[in-house]
Amino acid sequence: MRARTDSGHEAMIRAALDAAADEVCDRGWSGLQMRAVAHRIGVSRQTLYNTFTNKDGLAQALVLRLNERYLRGVENALASGDDVRSQWFAAIYYTLEAAATDPLLKTVLTADGRGELLPLLTSGAEPIIQAARDRLAEAILRAGPGVAAKDARDAAETATRLAISHIVLPLHPTERAAALIADVVDRFVRIDNQK
C-alpha cells in the first residue's frame, strides 16, 4: 500500500512539473501560478502547497529537473567524442538542438526572466550555463591532459557564450554552428597549449 502511495505521489510530482513547464513557456516565470498547475493536473492547490511549499518551490523543482536532464544530455554528447573538437561538436550540437526543441531550456539558456529565475535556484547552486561550462571544461582537460585548467575554463566559457549567441540568433544550420564553435575551442586549446 505504501509503495502505491509513493508511486502515485511521484507521478503527481512529474505531472505538476510538466504542467509548470507548460505554464512557464506560455506565460513566463512571473505567470506561473499554483492554481493553474493544480487545475491542469486535477489536484487541489493545497496538495501542491504540501508538496512544493509555494510557487518558488515548484519553480525550483522544475529548474533542478531541467538542469539534470540537460547536463545528462551534455555528458552523453561529450562521451561520444574522442578528442576535444569532436566532444565540443557533439556537446554544442546537442545544446543547439535541445534549445530549438525545448522552449523551457531555451528560456533558461537565454536568460529570459533571469531576474526571477536565479533566486529560485538552491542556495549555492550554479545556473545551468555555469554548470555546463564547468562540465565542458572538465571534458577539455580529460581529452587534453596537458591543457592548463584556466585555459580549459576560458575556452569553455567562450564556447558556451557562442552557443547561446547561436541559440538567440541562429545564422547557420545547427551542424555548421556546432562545427564553428568546436573549431574555435580546438584551435584555442592547441595554440595556447603550444606557448
Side-chain angles (χ1 to χ4, degrees), residues 12-95:
M12 187 276 297
I13 290 173
R14 284 191 301 274
L17 294 177
D18 290 344
D22 291 342
E23 287 290 315
V24 168
C25 291
D26 292 347
R27 296 175 177 77
W29 290 103
S30 61
L32 179 61
Q33 296 179 355
M34 297 289 272
R35 179 182 68 241
V37 171
H39 179 73
R40 277 184 182 234
I41 65 171
V43 300
S44 69
R45 279 191 307 167
Q46 189 58 50
T47 298
L48 287 183
Y49 281 106
N50 290 344
T51 302
F52 298 104
T53 307
N54 56 30
K55 173 184 156 178
D56 288 349
L58 175 61
Q60 181 179 57
L62 179 61
V63 169
L64 292 175
R65 181 177 78 164
L66 176 66
N67 187 41
E68 181 52 37
R69 187 177 70 220
Y70 170 67
L71 293 177
R72 191 169 44 245
V74 168
E75 291 281 341
N76 291 339
L78 289 170
S80 69
D82 295 327
D83 58 17
V84 170
R85 190 198 179 282
S86 63
Q87 288 177 337
W88 268 91
F89 177 86
I92 297 300
Y93 188 88
Y94 166 78
T95 297

Side-chain angles (χ1 to χ4, degrees), residues 5 103 130 160:
T5 302
Q130 291 173 338
T160 301

Side-chain angles (χ1 to χ4, degrees), residues 34 66 100 162 176 183:
M34 297 289 272
L66 176 66
L162 287 171
R176 175 87 172 117
D183 286 343

Side-chain angles (χ1 to χ4, degrees), residues 92-109:
I92 297 300
Y93 188 88
Y94 166 78
T95 297
L96 297 176
E97 284 292 302
T101 59
D102 185 337
L104 181 61
L105 180 60
K106 185 173 183 176
T107 297
V108 173
L109 288 175

